[in-house]
Amino acid sequence: MRTKIVAGNWKMNNNLDETKKLIKGLKKSIKKTSLGKTRVIVAPTFVNLYSAVKRAKKSKIEVVAQNMHQAKNGAFTGEISADMLLDIGIKTVILGHSERRTYFGETDEILKNKVDTALENNLEVIFCFGELLEDRKSDNHFKVVENQLKKALFHLNKKDLKNIILAYEPVWAIGTGETASPEQAQEMHAFIRSLLNEQYGEKTSNGVSILYGGSVKPTNAKEIFSKPDVDGGLIGGASLKVDDFTAIIKSI
Ligand code: 13P
């Protein structure tokens, strides 16, 4: 069975006090929830990571980073290394988010390097990818997704792949209120799994968790999560409110 995962990407939101309150609220609300093996993940902004790690200790909440630089260390003003993340107890990093690709020029080549650096340092990766609206309108969405995966991930071996969680996030659905329909999500997730199958075989492809991201809300989570190849979600806006995020976690 694949691991089910509900992850909150807090992006550039929440000051220290808000971060503490959100973690505290989530700890309390999920305590009463039977989660089984489902993983609950949150990704606060860098300045609040260490505090979040300390506050989430001894709870089901895993704290992860939103990004990481590919170099070991050095003159990269404003950047954060794998070592620094490990040092404060981080075990997982989000890479390839569309906002990093669009606003900060992260290319497939850069992302390939970042993935390699993360895995060399035993960091697990939540790898994001997804097509633009124009790609979908021109019926190029499968090709775009295939290219993103092949260019940044498919050089990895089967063992490496065990430390990769995929997050399909169609860019047109991020923060727009427009969600991919459960059928659209399933169709793409099944396609992604077929690519994994071709490259790595059935056993490996069946073990990779593929999350959906893009305007997941308490009202649509259950239906999206019910699809056979959707193993959870990467949630933006709705993960900033204890009640909404808890409702989404309970939908899995
Ligand atoms: P929203 O849930 O706000 O659409 O954001 C999705 C996302 O980008 C998660 O990484």
Side-chain angles (χ1 to χ4, degrees):
M1 268 301 282
R2 284 187 290 277
T3 310
K4 302 267 187 202
I5 301 166
V6 184
N9 176 8
W10 292 351
K11 308 191 181 184
M12 197 172 72
N13 293 296
N14 294 333
N15 61 23
L16 182 58
D17 192 47
E18 288 161 343
T19 302
K20 288 177 186 171
K21 283 191 180 133
L22 196 42
I23 300 236
K24 195 174 167 195
L26 277 175
K27 268 169 86 167
K28 203 170 152 204
S29 71
I30 64 171
K31 222 178 195 168
K32 301 172 219 138
T33 312
S34 151
L35 288 169
K37 288 197 162 59
T38 299
R39 291 173 65 183
V40 175
I41 290 175
V42 297
T45 185
F46 280 129
V47 283
N48 298 325
L49 265 186
Y50 185 45
S51 166
V53 168
K54 285 198 289 185
R55 271 156 211 282
K57 260 201 183 125
K58 297 202 190 110
S59 79
K60 270 288 281 187
I61 303 168
E62 298 173 46
V63 176
V64 313
Q66 295 178 16
N67 183 30
M68 182 204 81
H69 194 267
Q70 61 271 35
K72 184 164 173 45
N73 60 349
F76 299 101
T77 301
E79 291 293 330
I80 307 282
S81 73
D83 266 353
M84 292 167 188
L85 296 179
L86 291 166
D87 189 44
I88 59 162
I90 298 290
K91 297 189 174 71
T92 305
V93 59
I94 297 173
L95 294 176
H97 193 280
S98 73
E99 287 145 21
R100 299 294 319 168
R101 294 175 190 256
T102 307
Y103 306 135
F104 303 98
E106 294 197 3
T107 60
D108 295 317
E109 189 59 30
I110 291 171
L111 291 170
K112 179 174 184 247
N113 288 334
K114 288 194 175 201
V115 167
D116 287 345
T117 301
L119 295 178
E120 278 158 22
N121 284 279
N122 293 319
L123 279 164
E124 178 186 50
V125 173
I126 300 176
F127 186 79
C128 306
F129 54 95
E131 81 282 0
L132 304 170
L133 183 59
E134 65 224 48
D135 301 323
R136 186 159 279 263
K137 279 190 171 157
S138 57
D139 214 17
N140 268 330
H141 45 300
F142 292 114
K143 196 75 224 156
V144 167
V145 161
E146 182 172 354
N147 276 332
Q148 287 172 327
L149 291 175
K150 287 198 165 159
K151 285 184 176 159
L153 281 189
F154 278 15
H155 63 291
L156 300 176
N157 61 32
K158 283 187 189 182
K159 195 168 152 268
D160 288 334
L161 214 69
K162 289 205 163 76
N163 284 319
I164 302 280
I165 297 162
L166 296 179
Y168 167 60
E169 300 204 304
V171 179
W172 48 272
I174 296 177
T176 59
E178 191 178 342
T179 322
S181 68
E183 291 70 31
Q184 284 173 319
Q186 168 58 24
E187 185 186 34
M188 183 57 89
H189 284 222
F191 172 71
I192 294 160
R193 207 172 300 287
S194 76
L195 294 175
L196 292 170
N197 199 352
E198 273 169 35
Q199 183 78 8
Y200 296 102
E202 203 177 325
K203 189 161 174 260
T204 302
S205 75
N206 278 337
V208 178
S209 297
I210 309 177
L211 315 184
Y212 167 80
S215 298
V216 177
K217 301 181 270 273
T219 47
N220 59 22
K222 204 171 187 76
E223 215 187 332
I224 295 172
F225 294 165
S226 72
K227 294 295 175 192
D229 286 291
V230 178
D231 305 307
L234 183 55
I235 327 295
S239 71
L240 298 169
K241 294 198 184 107
V242 173
D243 291 351
D244 285 356
F245 196 42
T246 305
I248 294 171
I249 294 165
K250 284 183 180 166
S251 305
I252 195 109

